[in-house]
């Protein structure tokens, strides 16, 4: 499968982009040409050979600030996707096998999260749990979990009706064995696609929250926080 993907130009380009993103996530602060927190005399300067993306309102190099804010922004996105995957995919698969009571309860919880106004819920949970990046990631992961729940549940229901799964159940196989041996491998491709989409959504959501000052406060740098600090000087 991997060899087949590598034959595609689009797959090679995608892998190259992912490698660049991973490099920036790991080495962003090291690659920054200037101190991202140190100001200078050249304020609001345009792009130049010395400052590729110009400087902000107190003379800080914009490229350095973006690179320094990359690790926290990207790692937070990965953690959000992991939380959403754990809270959504596992109950989604189990809802097909653990009986009508668990199925009804899990569906009602998912419907509730879908109906919640995102920003109001995020602000309320932040006030309850505290204004920190961990709390923000938990909130966003909870709100994105219904996507994984519905995808994993739909995929599991289609596999559960297969003859080989029904034969395994008739033969006395446990639910855990059926899920591990037959269901998970069939559901995994759908979950992988959902995970890729969720990473993009999670990055936008985390950046939006940090832009609003929810989740993390300066001086730690995030992409949303950088945009918020420079918002008054865009013109």
């Amino acid at each position: 499968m991997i060899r087949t993907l590598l034959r595609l130009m689009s797959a090679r380009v995608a892998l190259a982009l992912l490698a660049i993103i991973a490099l920036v996530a790991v080495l962003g602060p090291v690659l920054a040409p200037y101190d991202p927190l140190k100001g200078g005399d050249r304020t609001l300067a345009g792009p130049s050979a010395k400052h590729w993306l110009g400087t902000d309102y107190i003379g800080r190099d914009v490229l350095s600030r973006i690179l320094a804010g990359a690790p926290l922004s990207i790692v937070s996105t990965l953690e959000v996707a992991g939380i959403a995957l754990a809270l959504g995919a596992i109950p989604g698969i189990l809802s097909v096998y653990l009986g009508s009571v668990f199925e009804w309860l899990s569906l009602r919880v998912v419907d509730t999260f879908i109906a919640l106004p995102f920003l109001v819920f995020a602000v309320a949970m932040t006030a309850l749990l505290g204004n920190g990046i961990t709390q923000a990631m938990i909130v966003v992961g909870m709100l994105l979990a219904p996507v994984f729940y519905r995808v994993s549940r739909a995929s599991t229901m289609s596999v559960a009706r297969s003859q080989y799964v029904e034969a395994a159940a008739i033969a006395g196989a446990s639910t855990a064995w059926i899920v591990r041996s037959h269901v998970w491998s069939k559901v995994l491709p759908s979950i992988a696609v959902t995970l890729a989409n969720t990473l993009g959504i999670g990055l936008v959501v985390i950046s939006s929250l940090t832009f609003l000052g929810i989740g993390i406060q300066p001086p730690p740098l995030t992409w949303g926080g950088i945009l918020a600090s420079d918002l008054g000087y865009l013109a």
Side-chain angles (χ1 to χ4, degrees), residues 202-235:
L203 180 58
V204 173
V205 172
I206 285 291
S207 298
S208 300
L209 290 179
T210 52
F211 175 82
L212 296 173
I214 300 173
I216 191 168
Q217 299 294 324
L221 294 174
T222 60
W223 287 344
I226 293 170
L227 182 58
S229 66
D230 296 337
L231 184 62
Y233 303 91
L234 289 181

Side-chain angles (χ1 to χ4, degrees), residues 13-153:
V13 172
L15 288 174
L17 291 174
L18 289 174
I20 293 173
I21 293 172
L23 180 65
V24 171
V26 175
L27 300 177
V30 178
L31 298 174
Y34 299 95
D35 185 346
L37 301 178
K38 184 178 180 181
D41 297 332
R42 299 185 60 191
T43 61
L44 299 177
S48 63
K50 189 174 183 180
H51 301 282
W52 288 7
L53 297 181
T55 61
D56 66 0
Y57 61 99
I58 57 175
R60 296 173 297 193
D61 183 65
V62 174
L63 176 61
S64 299
R65 289 174 61 77
I66 292 175
L67 290 173
L72 187 56
S73 299
I74 295 175
V75 171
S76 298
T77 302
L78 295 174
E79 293 183 6
V80 163
I83 292 171
L85 175 63
L87 295 179
I90 296 175
I93 294 174
L94 295 179
S95 67
V96 180
Y97 292 100
L98 294 187
S100 59
V101 175
F102 180 83
E103 179 183 19
W104 186 89
L105 289 174
S106 61
L107 283 171
R108 298 295 77 77
V109 171
V110 167
D111 291 340
T112 301
F113 278 120
I114 292 175
L116 285 172
F118 175 81
L119 185 58
V120 174
F121 181 75
V123 172
M125 290 298 294
T126 302
L128 180 64
L129 300 176
N131 191 13
I133 190 65
T134 302
Q135 292 87 329
M137 289 186 295
I138 293 174
V139 172
V140 177
M142 291 170 62
L143 292 172
L144 294 179
V147 179
F148 286 96
Y149 179 91
R150 291 188 176 277
V151 169
S152 60
R153 174 176 164 78

